[in-house]
Amino acid sequence: KNQVEQSPQSLIILEGKNCTLQCNYTVSPFSNLRWYKQDTGRGPVSLTIMTFSENTKSNGRYTATLDADTKQSSLHITASQLSDSASYICVVSAGTGGFKTIFGAGTRLFVKA
Amino acid sequence: NAGVTQTPKFQVLKTGQSMTLQCAQDMNHNSMYWYRQDPGMGLRLIYYSASEGTTDKGEVPNGYNVSRLNKREFSLRLESAAPSQTSVYFCASKERPNYEQYFGPGTRLTVT
């Protein structure tokens, strides 16, 4: 069964600290993996996308890694800011056309001053 | 360029009432999608339209119908609302299957 599991469920960190969010998936055949940021009351917004051959992708203070062998991905946030408080969703697309998309339940990040 | 817009933002229905959620995109995307988001769960696909004139069921289509009115608009209809349909509904669009997906702001629906 195609699944995407994220950990931790929620996380509280102090402003300025780094953190890493995890995503494990059992999706086959793998097409690509995205990380989305979802602010409260808004729709998700894409942060990064990685295909099978990519093992790292950065977007400002966000760095995503992908290990296709172990089917794991992580999102590292550097020097966190209050505006990073949001849910972070790992999304894996399957199949050659990428029509089958499986969403993780998300990690809720709280950044405190 | 507004991206993906949805109306209404909030709605409260009584069990058995019907309503239509509207979605429009101005990015000339071919594919459009309707998802629901429930606490503790990932977004689940209700219906999608790979291109104008086509619609297909997703993971949780029961109790819903859709219409791809034209390339811009994709509506979701609840014919007889049930409390289990209380959720946040997101519309999304993308140009092609492996391209970035853009989401609307969501509709928060409560069925009492």
Side-chain angles (χ1 to χ4, degrees):
Chain A
K1 182 183 176 184
N2 289 326
Q3 282 186 314
V4 176
E5 295 184 352
Q6 294 187 242
S7 61
Q9 211 168 24
S10 63
L11 182 62
I12 303 172
I13 62 173
L14 290 175
E15 187 179 14
K17 297 296 186 183
N18 303 337
C19 67
T20 299
L21 314 180
Q22 301 289 345
C23 173
N24 296 335
Y25 63 92
T26 55
V27 175
S28 182
F30 176 86
S31 179
N32 61 66
L33 185 148
R34 293 180 187 274
W35 282 93
Y36 283 84
K37 179 186 179 188
Q38 184 176 20
D39 292 312
T40 301
R42 296 186 173 233
V45 175
S46 181
L47 291 174
T48 64
I49 177 173
M50 287 181 291
T51 58
F52 187 87
S53 58
E54 298 173 297
N55 55 23
T56 187
K57 186 75 71 80
S58 291
N59 179 359
R61 295 179 295 101
Y62 300 102
T63 300
T65 63
L66 173 65
D67 185 334
D69 291 332
T70 61
K71 298 187 177 181
Q72 295 179 323
S73 177
S74 64
L75 181 70
H76 186 75
I77 304 175
T78 304
S80 60
Q81 300 176 358
L82 297 178
S83 59
D84 292 331
S85 294
S87 288
Y88 291 85
I89 303 172
C90 176
V91 184
V92 183
S93 291
T96 53
F99 275 113
K100 179 72 173 174
T101 300
I102 301 93
F103 289 76
T107 292
R108 189 77 176 93
L109 175 66
F110 300 90
V111 180
K112 291 195 163 185
Chain B
N1 191 338
V4 180
T5 57
Q6 293 182 236
T7 56
K9 285 200 150 186
F10 301 94
Q11 183 72 48
V12 179
L13 292 178
K14 291 188 188 320
T15 298
Q17 287 186 316
S18 62
M19 78 161 295
T20 300
L21 281 64
Q22 306 287 354
C23 172
Q25 52 92 8
D26 61 1
M27 297 172 282
N28 202 37
H29 286 170
N30 290 310
S31 304
M32 297 186 73
Y33 306 77
W34 276 106
Y35 294 93
R36 59 178 290 173
Q37 186 175 39
D38 299 296
M41 301 182 72
L43 276 79
R44 291 182 292 168
L45 182 64
I46 305 171
Y47 270 94
Y48 69 98
S49 171
S51 61
E52 186 179 356
T54 70
T55 60
D56 285 287
K57 295 178 180 180
E59 183 184 354
V60 288
N62 291 345
Y64 306 95
N65 283 301
V66 291
S67 295
R68 183 75 182 266
L69 304 169
N70 47 55
K71 193 169 186 180
R72 288 188 65 247
E73 298 171 288
F74 189 38
S75 63
L76 178 71
R77 182 158 178 84
L78 286 71
E79 291 292 350
S80 179
S84 61
Q85 294 178 305
T86 293
S87 187
V88 181
Y89 291 85
F90 287 99
C91 178
S93 71
K94 58 182 167 183
E95 187 177 342
R96 294 179 193 177
N98 282 322
Y99 281 42
E100 180 172 349
Q101 195 168 35
Y102 293 84
F103 287 83
T107 295
R108 185 172 292 275
L109 174 67
T110 302
V111 183
T112 61

